[in-house]
Amino acid sequence: MIQNRGFQYVLYFTALVVIGSTGFYIIGGESWSIIDSIYMTIITISTVGFSEVHLLSQTGKIWTIIVIIFGVGGFASIIYELGNELIQLKNYRSRTMRNKIAKLKSHYIICGYGRMGAVIAAELHKKQIPFVIVELNETKINKIQEMNFIHIHNDATMDDTLIDAGIKNCKGIVVVLDNDQDNLFVTMSARNLNNEAYIISRCSVKETGQKLKRAGANKVVNPYTTGGHRMSELLIRPYVEDAVTIETPENTSIDYLLEEFSIDKINSIKGKTVSESNIREKYGLLVVGIIDNKGNSKLNPGPNELIESDSKIILIGSNDQLSDFKENAINDL
């Protein structure tokens, strides 16, 4: 419909310029060129206020009035119609999104499409997990539309917005708005609307984390704390593959490290099975993976899995346990 209307508008203006320019060219006589006539028509219908190209006769002034009536009046009508078309298009898109959301069950809701929200959405999309994004910022909405994600263009702090996002049928909610106050408010509202959903909320200040948990968040993530912890581990132990921090109900942290070792440097376990290596019994470490010389990996190997001399093992445990392993097993050459 909009394309047909657009063609009609282009046709109307083309006809107006052609007819208006022809009139000025005929009325003006020899002193008016084709360029002069087109220029006069354009400045007349655009109301820019430039002076006449040449002195107009009475007939020329009457023709100018006619061009103004059909040009300016028609232009105003077109702007009005275009406004209506855009409103209808926006309403149509909104209805289409709501119809898609109404069909979702056990989906996830992402409140906020900042840097964290964008990463979360990309991960869920990659894993083909259904989700809905709630975002108020117009610029971010344009990015969401480019990605063709299901979304609600509204304020997440409003209960009606969360209801439109399907909160009563969702499986989980992640709240990653720009400030802690909004995250706290949305977390509390989300918990009141759905007592079963799993809620993860972002916080910037440690004290807010406790409030978020009291408001109903199952987990609270502080990206600055998490990122700082990760960077400090990489700085101190650049050989560590990964670090995991687990928070207990008493708000104490337990750090687990994931580290990769080459078997050719550990004589005591070469050619033995996982069970025979006694890594768990002696050091309290778990063998979570074995990588052969071709790069093929086996996760969670069984007790009878052979540890070949040209392979690598991935161990998980505390810093003290890994240090004990390196000091006693690796150095025992």
mmCIF file with all atom_site columns, all heavy atoms in Angstrom, residues 206-217:
data_model
loop_
_atom_site.group_PDB
_atom_site.id
_atom_site.type_symbol
_atom_site.label_atom_id
_atom_site.label_alt_id
_atom_site.label_comp_id
_atom_site.label_asym_id
_atom_site.label_entity_id
_atom_site.label_seq_id
_atom_site.pdbx_PDB_ins_code
_atom_site.Cartn_x
_atom_site.Cartn_y
_atom_site.Cartn_z
_atom_site.occupancy
_atom_site.B_iso_or_equiv
_atom_site.pdbx_formal_charge
_atom_site.auth_seq_id
_atom_site.auth_comp_id
_atom_site.auth_asym_id
_atom_site.auth_atom_id
_atom_site.pdbx_PDB_model_num
ATOM 1  N N   . LYS A 1 206 ? 28.001 -3.034  44.712 1.00 0.00 ? 206 LYS A N   1
ATOM 2  C CA  . LYS A 1 206 ? 27.868 -4.261  45.489 1.00 0.00 ? 206 LYS A CA  1
ATOM 3  C C   . LYS A 1 206 ? 26.646 -4.237  46.396 1.00 0.00 ? 206 LYS A C   1
ATOM 4  O O   . LYS A 1 206 ? 25.937 -5.236  46.544 1.00 0.00 ? 206 LYS A O   1
ATOM 5  C CB  . LYS A 1 206 ? 29.128 -4.474  46.320 1.00 0.00 ? 206 LYS A CB  1
ATOM 6  C CG  . LYS A 1 206 ? 29.128 -5.766  47.127 1.00 0.00 ? 206 LYS A CG  1
ATOM 7  C CD  . LYS A 1 206 ? 30.424 -5.937  47.879 1.00 0.00 ? 206 LYS A CD  1
ATOM 8  C CE  . LYS A 1 206 ? 30.427 -7.243  48.681 1.00 0.00 ? 206 LYS A CE  1
ATOM 9  N NZ  . LYS A 1 206 ? 31.684 -7.423  49.434 1.00 0.00 ? 206 LYS A NZ  1
ATOM 10 N N   . GLU A 1 207 ? 26.368 -3.086  47.033 1.00 0.00 ? 207 GLU A N   1
ATOM 11 C CA  . GLU A 1 207 ? 25.231 -2.983  47.954 1.00 0.00 ? 207 GLU A CA  1
ATOM 12 C C   . GLU A 1 207 ? 23.910 -3.231  47.242 1.00 0.00 ? 207 GLU A C   1
ATOM 13 O O   . GLU A 1 207 ? 22.959 -3.753  47.825 1.00 0.00 ? 207 GLU A O   1
ATOM 14 C CB  . GLU A 1 207 ? 25.211 -1.611  48.627 1.00 0.00 ? 207 GLU A CB  1
ATOM 15 C CG  . GLU A 1 207 ? 26.321 -1.381  49.637 1.00 0.00 ? 207 GLU A CG  1
ATOM 16 C CD  . GLU A 1 207 ? 27.689 -1.179  48.995 1.00 0.00 ? 207 GLU A CD  1
ATOM 17 O OE1 . GLU A 1 207 ? 27.726 -0.915  47.762 1.00 0.00 ? 207 GLU A OE1 1
ATOM 18 O OE2 . GLU A 1 207 ? 28.709 -1.294  49.705 1.00 0.00 ? 207 GLU A OE2 1
ATOM 19 N N   . THR A 1 208 ? 23.839 -2.863  45.969 1.00 0.00 ? 208 THR A N   1
ATOM 20 C CA  . THR A 1 208 ? 22.602 -3.067  45.209 1.00 0.00 ? 208 THR A CA  1
ATOM 21 C C   . THR A 1 208 ? 22.337 -4.544  44.990 1.00 0.00 ? 208 THR A C   1
ATOM 22 O O   . THR A 1 208 ? 21.183 -4.967  44.881 1.00 0.00 ? 208 THR A O   1
ATOM 23 C CB  . THR A 1 208 ? 22.685 -2.348  43.849 1.00 0.00 ? 208 THR A CB  1
ATOM 24 O OG1 . THR A 1 208 ? 23.048 -0.983  44.048 1.00 0.00 ? 208 THR A OG1 1
ATOM 25 C CG2 . THR A 1 208 ? 21.347 -2.395  43.128 1.00 0.00 ? 208 THR A CG2 1
ATOM 26 N N   . GLY A 1 209 ? 23.395 -5.346  44.938 1.00 0.00 ? 209 GLY A N   1
ATOM 27 C CA  . GLY A 1 209 ? 23.225 -6.780  44.732 1.00 0.00 ? 209 GLY A CA  1
ATOM 28 C C   . GLY A 1 209 ? 22.360 -7.423  45.795 1.00 0.00 ? 209 GLY A C   1
ATOM 29 O O   . GLY A 1 209 ? 21.506 -8.269  45.499 1.00 0.00 ? 209 GLY A O   1
ATOM 30 N N   . GLN A 1 210 ? 22.558 -7.025  47.052 1.00 0.00 ? 210 GLN A N   1
ATOM 31 C CA  . GLN A 1 210 ? 21.739 -7.573  48.130 1.00 0.00 ? 210 GLN A CA  1
ATOM 32 C C   . GLN A 1 210 ? 20.279 -7.168  47.973 1.00 0.00 ? 210 GLN A C   1
ATOM 33 O O   . GLN A 1 210 ? 19.365 -7.966  48.199 1.00 0.00 ? 210 GLN A O   1
ATOM 34 C CB  . GLN A 1 210 ? 22.277 -7.080  49.480 1.00 0.00 ? 210 GLN A CB  1
ATOM 35 C CG  . GLN A 1 210 ? 23.711 -7.499  49.781 1.00 0.00 ? 210 GLN A CG  1
ATOM 36 C CD  . GLN A 1 210 ? 23.857 -9.008  49.800 1.00 0.00 ? 210 GLN A CD  1
ATOM 37 O OE1 . GLN A 1 210 ? 23.012 -9.723  50.338 1.00 0.00 ? 210 GLN A OE1 1
ATOM 38 N NE2 . GLN A 1 210 ? 24.925 -9.508  49.202 1.00 0.00 ? 210 GLN A NE2 1
ATOM 39 N N   . LYS A 1 211 ? 20.055 -5.938  47.571 1.00 0.00 ? 211 LYS A N   1
ATOM 40 C CA  . LYS A 1 211 ? 18.681 -5.463  47.368 1.00 0.00 ? 211 LYS A CA  1
ATOM 41 C C   . LYS A 1 211 ? 18.014 -6.211  46.224 1.00 0.00 ? 211 LYS A C   1
ATOM 42 O O   . LYS A 1 211 ? 16.825 -6.533  46.289 1.00 0.00 ? 211 LYS A O   1
ATOM 43 C CB  . LYS A 1 211 ? 18.679 -3.957  47.093 1.00 0.00 ? 211 LYS A CB  1
ATOM 44 C CG  . LYS A 1 211 ? 19.191 -3.117  48.255 1.00 0.00 ? 211 LYS A CG  1
ATOM 45 C CD  . LYS A 1 211 ? 19.203 -1.641  47.897 1.00 0.00 ? 211 LYS A CD  1
ATOM 46 C CE  . LYS A 1 211 ? 19.753 -0.802  49.043 1.00 0.00 ? 211 LYS A CE  1
ATOM 47 N NZ  . LYS A 1 211 ? 19.816 0.641   48.687 1.00 0.00 ? 211 LYS A NZ  1
ATOM 48 N N   . LEU A 1 212 ? 18.780 -6.472  45.165 1.00 0.00 ? 212 LEU A N   1
ATOM 49 C CA  . LEU A 1 212 ? 18.225 -7.194  44.021 1.00 0.00 ? 212 LEU A CA  1
ATOM 50 C C   . LEU A 1 212 ? 17.808 -8.612  44.414 1.00 0.00 ? 212 LEU A C   1
ATOM 51 O O   . LEU A 1 212 ? 16.779 -9.102  43.962 1.00 0.00 ? 212 LEU A O   1
ATOM 52 C CB  . LEU A 1 212 ? 19.255 -7.240  42.890 1.00 0.00 ? 212 LEU A CB  1
ATOM 53 C CG  . LEU A 1 212 ? 19.440 -5.942  42.102 1.00 0.00 ? 212 LEU A CG  1
ATOM 54 C CD1 . LEU A 1 212 ? 20.715 -5.995  41.267 1.00 0.00 ? 212 LEU A CD1 1
ATOM 55 C CD2 . LEU A 1 212 ? 18.238 -5.681  41.203 1.00 0.00 ? 212 LEU A CD2 1
ATOM 56 N N   . LYS A 1 213 ? 18.609 -9.255  45.253 1.00 0.00 ? 213 LYS A N   1
ATOM 57 C CA  . LYS A 1 213 ? 18.248 -10.602 45.704 1.00 0.00 ? 213 LYS A CA  1
ATOM 58 C C   . LYS A 1 213 ? 17.003 -10.579 46.574 1.00 0.00 ? 213 LYS A C   1
ATOM 59 O O   . LYS A 1 213 ? 16.136 -11.456 46.475 1.00 0.00 ? 213 LYS A O   1
ATOM 60 C CB  . LYS A 1 213 ? 19.417 -11.235 46.456 1.00 0.00 ? 213 LYS A CB  1
ATOM 61 C CG  . LYS A 1 213 ? 20.584 -11.621 45.548 1.00 0.00 ? 213 LYS A CG  1
ATOM 62 C CD  . LYS A 1 213 ? 21.681 -12.336 46.313 1.00 0.00 ? 213 LYS A CD  1
ATOM 63 C CE  . LYS A 1 213 ? 22.792 -12.774 45.369 1.00 0.00 ? 213 LYS A CE  1
ATOM 64 N NZ  . LYS A 1 213 ? 23.894 -13.473 46.086 1.00 0.00 ? 213 LYS A NZ  1
ATOM 65 N N   . ARG A 1 214 ? 16.896 -9.543  47.425 1.00 0.00 ? 214 ARG A N   1
ATOM 66 C CA  . ARG A 1 214 ? 15.686 -9.421  48.250 1.00 0.00 ? 214 ARG A CA  1
ATOM 67 C C   . ARG A 1 214 ? 14.471 -9.103  47.393 1.00 0.00 ? 214 ARG A C   1
ATOM 68 O O   . ARG A 1 214 ? 13.343 -9.474  47.743 1.00 0.00 ? 214 ARG A O   1
ATOM 69 C CB  . ARG A 1 214 ? 15.881 -8.342  49.317 1.00 0.00 ? 214 ARG A CB  1
ATOM 70 C CG  . ARG A 1 214 ? 16.863 -8.713  50.417 1.00 0.00 ? 214 ARG A CG  1
ATOM 71 C CD  . ARG A 1 214 ? 16.708 -7.827  51.627 1.00 0.00 ? 214 ARG A CD  1
ATOM 72 N NE  . ARG A 1 214 ? 17.025 -6.431  51.319 1.00 0.00 ? 214 ARG A NE  1
ATOM 73 C CZ  . ARG A 1 214 ? 18.220 -5.881  51.463 1.00 0.00 ? 214 ARG A CZ  1
ATOM 74 N NH1 . ARG A 1 214 ? 19.244 -6.627  51.887 1.00 0.00 ? 214 ARG A NH1 1
ATOM 75 N NH2 . ARG A 1 214 ? 18.429 -4.615  51.188 1.00 0.00 ? 214 ARG A NH2 1
ATOM 76 N N   . ALA A 1 215 ? 14.698 -8.423  46.271 1.00 0.00 ? 215 ALA A N   1
ATOM 77 C CA  . ALA A 1 215 ? 13.597 -8.070  45.381 1.00 0.00 ? 215 ALA A CA  1
ATOM 78 C C   . ALA A 1 215 ? 13.118 -9.249  44.547 1.00 0.00 ? 215 ALA A C   1
ATOM 79 O O   . ALA A 1 215 ? 12.051 -9.180  43.937 1.00 0.00 ? 215 ALA A O   1
ATOM 80 C CB  . ALA A 1 215 ? 14.008 -6.921  44.459 1.00 0.00 ? 215 ALA A CB  1
ATOM 81 N N   . GLY A 1 216 ? 13.924 -10.327 44.519 1.00 0.00 ? 216 GLY A N   1
ATOM 82 C CA  . GLY A 1 216 ? 13.482 -11.520 43.800 1.00 0.00 ? 216 GLY A CA  1
ATOM 83 C C   . GLY A 1 216 ? 14.446 -12.078 42.790 1.00 0.00 ? 216 GLY A C   1
ATOM 84 O O   . GLY A 1 216 ? 14.135 -13.069 42.122 1.00 0.00 ? 216 GLY A O   1
ATOM 85 N N   . ALA A 1 217 ? 15.625 -11.491 42.633 1.00 0.00 ? 217 ALA A N   1
ATOM 86 C CA  . ALA A 1 217 ? 16.592 -12.006 41.669 1.00 0.00 ? 217 ALA A CA  1
ATOM 87 C C   . ALA A 1 217 ? 17.204 -13.309 42.174 1.00 0.00 ? 217 ALA A C   1
ATOM 88 O O   . ALA A 1 217 ? 17.603 -13.401 43.338 1.00 0.00 ? 217 ALA A O   1
ATOM 89 C CB  . ALA A 1 217 ? 17.688 -10.976 41.416 1.00 0.00 ? 217 ALA A CB  1
#
